Amino acid sequence: MFDMHHYETAISKIVSTETEEELILRGHRLSDLIREASFAQSVFLMLTGHMPTPGQARTLDAVFTACVDHAVTPSAMIGRAFASYGTSIPAAIAGGILMFGDIMGGAGEPLARLLTQALQTVAPDGGDIDDQAIQKAAGYLIDQTVQSGARMPGFGIPAHAKDPRAPALLEVAQTSGAAGPFCRLLVATEAELARRKGRPIPINIDGIVAAIVLDMELPPECVAAFVMIPRSFSTLAHHLEEKGQGTRWRHVPQDQVTYTGPMPE
Ligand SMILES: CC(C)(COP(=O)(O)OP(=O)(O)OC[C@H]1O[C@@H](n2cnc3c(N)ncnc32)[C@H](O)[C@@H]1OP(=O)(O)O)[C@@H](O)C(=O)NCCC(=O)NCCS
């Protein structure tokens, strides 16, 4: 029987004794991590219980940088609107995160599940996966989604002809040795999607983060969080800037709204 008043955790522990004040994070002193580790290394350690390789740490840091801002996107709009209404920064950051969904920022997790399923289908025993198997997995992915009229999560972006973050992140993952079969499958899927649609629908930020997360053997649930959490800094920055501009009552002007309901008799 589980004791509902007791918590068990392997993540962290507060130490407060006559000789030491410390926080133990997955077997490491936080004061040592503060001195020696990066934010990305500490996040990876906290999530997995072990330190990332240098290549994984470099790539995760690049993921956080890639997600830090994307102009006045919905989470930044929320930051600015909340500043304009005098609403607090914690509320703005929470509101900014709540803007993310299946269409924006949340497409990585379903893609991560599809990528996993596709590789399991062509290589159920794991091991080395050759280019032919990767190609077959890309075809399987397209058959599962686009063939039935659905969109392939992690591909396409309205703001750019090609999402500049994806190739830059892929390059970091490849050169640092953090990229693996999931990044290869993502690239093969981009080519196969272009072939079937007759035009390029490039990998977007959710797509590349999904493949990197899987190649780092992190759970698919991490993908959206890795996009949204760094983006909170964007909500903060836009909130602060808007507040500095002294705007009041940001709203949609009436001439931009068409009322389509009935008028009273
Ligand atoms: C992000 C997204 C909404 C942007 O769409 P958009 O650039 O405005 O493009 P449209 O919705 O106008 O679609 C234009 C065409 O491209 C196709 N298309 C766009 N993204 C596609 C995708 N991911 N998979 C398959 N087809 C796609 C559409 O089906 C449409 O094709 P058609 O002309 O044959 O009907 C869209 O690409 C999408 O739904 N992607 C999947 C979700 C996702 O990854 N979101 C995260 C974004 S960071």
Side-chain angles (χ1 to χ4, degrees), residues 101-108 146 149-160 163 165 193 197 199 201 204-207:
D102 288 352
I103 309 295
M104 193 198 75
V146 181
R151 288 181 174 206
M152 174 68 75
F155 290 81
I157 185 156
H160 301 280
D163 190 331
R165 299 165 293 183
L193 185 58
K197 295 289 286 189
R199 63 182 183 82
I201 299 175
N204 61 37
I205 187 72
D206 292 1

Side-chain angles (χ1 to χ4, degrees), residues 68-79:
V68 83
D69 183 64
H70 201 221
V72 188
T73 45
S75 56
M77 280 159 64
I78 284 286

